[in-house]
Amino acid sequence: MDRTAQRALRPTGRTVAYDPSSTAPGTAPPLHVRAAAVLEAGWTGTSTVPSRSLYPHQWSWDSAFIAIGLRHVSPLRAQTELDTLLAAQWADGRIPHIVFNPSVPLDAYFPSPDFWRSSTAGRTAGAPRTVQTSGIVQPPVHALAAWLVHLADPGLSRARGFLARVYPRLAAWHRYLLHRRDLGGGGLVSVVHPWEQGMDNSPCWDRPLSRVTPAPARSFRRADLDHGSPEGRPTDLDYGRYVRLANDYRDRGYADGAGEFAVEDPAFNALLIASEYALARIAHELGAAGSARQARAERLTAALVERLWEPAAGMFLCRDVRAGELIPERGVSGLIPLLLPSLPRDLAAGLVRTMCGPHFGLGGTTRLVPSYDLLGEAFDPHRYWRGPAWINTNWLLEGGLRLHGDRGRADALRKGILHTAGASGFAEYVDPYTAQACGATGFGWTAALTLDLLHDRPAGDRNGVTAIKGGDRG
């Protein structure tokens, strides 16, 4: 990264990563300056919104990815990002997928706080009374993010007691998932709503969603269509099913286990495993033994292989817990376990072959890994998670390639991510063939993970994923 880029502190105490005043007149600012400007524009003083127009609140896994990028801008602000999110944790341990900003009008986003009614419907589960949240969760990237934020400035982290403050909250989060969400009985975590997995309208959900009676269209208004093309968003039918599932979950007091939708997802579980490794590192830093967590991560990896690996597909598949069967759809989620250090070597090699083969086309027909099977009947290059490429999943896969020693492909993917992010205006997602921008531009995690990939680190640890191996450097 350009060492002449300077950090500046405004009188308000808001840290700006790089000073754009050093850019020569008439020239475009460097990529890192533009990425930092996106994060600055989304900063609220305590957290970062993914998009001012489309997503005006704090989102759970967005904030984890954003903190990973913010650590290169301001480690203090990255710590604050995670502290703000964790302050909204429920007493049962869950970290809600949205923390609502009370200054944002109710009609700016749906479902809004008055839909979730967290402080009343979630009272039994221990929802906070002083802040409004949703009642579902998102992928557990948070411990990995916390560990990487600590590594950005260990002195500051120790002086502020950052890891000591977040560790018990992260441990409670993992306990909730492992104890309350093992709905299939095989040791893996289930999601109870497509929004929890983060890949909202993936074709992987079509089969289990088909059992859900949609809520009437007149019972809700989709604010997302005010800011995005209908051709790029989930259909009204899908949205009606999302609303029905959320309604039913809320009306059960956010109790787990009784809903129509329960899916074991490979990416959700892989990120939990990665965060278990990170929690082991955090425990060690705090002077405690992390061996039990590392052993748990290895057991979870074995369960992931046993329950979700499909040799014929050459990748992991989702399991429909209610139907008791694997879902025969190839989504990018099934490649994400590549980031796990204890994944068997032959399975890692199989994932790379699948990633570079005709179903995902990396290095051939596509420069970034698409969100869904290029050959699948439901593939759509522009519709949300049904085909477009996303920066966060590609960031994870870049780290997985590098972790398993495939530096050539990792370097090529890194180059593709950075070029696409800059050329698309830090788009939310892109057409996997043309890299045409889709969704929101100036998107938070796209900018944050761009900063992370730009940052100077050893070639074997380009995006920090190897930090979960116990400090190894490739």
Side-chain angles (χ1 to χ4, degrees), residues 1 31 35-36 38-39 61-73 141 144-145 148 390-398 414 417-418 421 426 428 443-455 457 462-465:
M1 181 171 291
L31 186 59
V38 169
L39 297 183
W61 77 324
D62 290 75
S63 274
F65 287 124
I66 286 167
I68 289 170
L70 273 177
R71 68 192 174 120
H72 307 301
V73 172
V141 199
L144 176 58
L148 295 177
W390 292 70
I391 296 301
N392 67 327
T393 53
N394 278 272
W395 178 87
L396 291 166
L397 293 172
E398 193 267 0
R414 173 181 178 271
I417 293 170
L418 293 176
F426 304 101
E428 184 180 3
F443 194 69
W445 77 33
T446 303
L449 298 177
T450 295
L451 280 173
D452 194 61
L453 289 176
L454 283 169
H455 195 266
R457 278 190 304 281
R462 182 73 68 185
N463 76 357
V465 171

Side-chain angles (χ1 to χ4, degrees), residues 165-185:
R165 187 166 61 252
V166 302
Y167 180 80
R169 290 185 175 274
L170 294 170
W173 167 221
H174 286 206
R175 281 196 302 274
Y176 165 77
L177 293 173
L178 292 166
H179 295 165
R180 300 282 295 277
R181 289 298 191 89
D182 181 10
L183 304 182

Side-chain angles (χ1 to χ4, degrees), residues 120-289:
T120 53
R123 184 177 301 154
T124 301
R129 295 186 178 184
T130 57
V131 63
Q132 294 295 311
T133 76
S134 64
I136 60 175
V137 302
Q138 276 192 322
V141 199
H142 311 89
L144 176 58
W147 178 240
L148 295 177
V149 167
H150 165 77
L151 292 179
D153 191 338
L156 175 69
S157 175
R158 292 172 186 136
R160 299 187 69 247
F162 172 65
L163 291 182
R165 187 166 61 252
V166 302
Y167 180 80
R169 290 185 175 274
L170 294 170
W173 167 221
H174 286 206
R175 281 196 302 274
Y176 165 77
L177 293 173
L178 292 166
H179 295 165
R180 300 282 295 277
R181 289 298 191 89
D182 181 10
L183 304 182
L188 297 183
V189 173
S190 292
V191 296
V192 299
H193 195 290
W195 288 339
E196 291 198 313
Q197 196 271 353
M199 303 177 191
D200 302 16
N201 67 328
S202 168
C204 298
W205 317 138
D206 289 356
R207 182 175 292 192
L209 274 178
S210 67
R211 299 192 295 266
V212 178
T213 302
R218 65 182 179 278
S219 66
F220 60 93
R221 176 186 174 276
R222 295 182 57 179
D224 63 317
L225 297 182
D226 294 341
H227 307 285
S229 166
E231 290 75 23
R233 306 293 299 174
T235 64
D236 286 342
L237 176 60
D238 283 340
Y239 222 89
R241 287 169 168 154
Y242 305 153
V243 172
R244 171 68 69 187
L245 284 173
N247 261 324
D248 292 349
Y249 192 42
R250 178 200 63 206
D251 293 346
R252 293 195 306 272
Y254 297 109
D256 295 310
E260 297 176 82
F261 185 96
V263 174
E264 293 173 354
D265 173 75
F268 194 102
N269 281 278
L271 291 170
L272 175 62
I273 295 166
S275 279
E276 274 291 307
Y277 279 113
L279 271 187
R281 299 293 293 154
I282 293 172
H284 181 75
E285 165 68 21
L286 294 174

